[in-house]
Amino acid sequence: MTQPFDPSSLFGGGDGGENPMAGLLAQAQQMQEKLLAAQEEIAATEVTGSAGNGLVTVTGTGTGEVTAVTIDPKVVDADDVETLQDLVLGALSDLASKRDELTSAKMGPLAGGLGGGLPGLG
């Protein structure tokens, strides 16, 4: 009678040998834990965007939630609402750029270690 097939033997395991797949799975779990920690840090980080040399500021979280808008009274002109609207849009755009930079800084090094050149992961 032949021995049953042991798939771990394909990866150097079996008969008490060390299985490299176990090490790979442990690395994947560590990477997942690091990614979750980075996501939590991003969510807890406050980011501020501004326009008009600080006349309009928008504050939010790293996840995209806007938490505050500050408008300097000097920009409030009933006859020129368009300028105020442009400044608010500019501050929101600046906030989005800074949030993207934060995400890239925190997640970029982790994502680089995921794929080893696989599309969409590195």
Side-chain angles (χ1 to χ4, degrees):
M1 176 148 207
T2 61
Q3 293 288 345
F5 176 69
D6 180 6
S8 68
S9 65
L10 292 174
F11 302 106
D15 296 330
E18 191 174 312
N19 185 346
M21 287 302 288
L24 187 59
L25 290 173
Q27 284 180 332
Q29 185 174 6
Q30 288 176 348
M31 183 64 69
Q32 183 179 17
E33 290 169 3
K34 288 180 182 179
L35 284 170
L36 289 173
Q39 288 172 336
E40 289 173 5
E41 186 177 346
I42 289 168
T45 301
E46 183 177 275
V47 183
T48 301
S50 65
N53 291 325
L55 293 174
V56 175
T57 61
V58 178
T59 304
T61 65
T63 57
E65 179 184 359
V66 174
T67 57
V69 176
T70 305
I71 300 173
D72 189 307
K74 291 187 278 190
V75 221
V76 180
D77 180 356
D79 295 327
D80 187 15
V81 175
E82 291 82 16
T83 297
L84 179 57
Q85 292 169 338
D86 289 344
L87 288 171
V88 171
L89 284 176
L92 286 167
S93 177
D94 189 43
L95 174 68
S97 291
K98 289 179 179 175
R99 186 180 62 244
D100 290 346
E101 289 172 18
L102 171 69
T103 301
S104 292
K106 299 293 180 187
M107 300 292 278
L110 295 173
L114 280 179
L118 292 177
L121 293 177

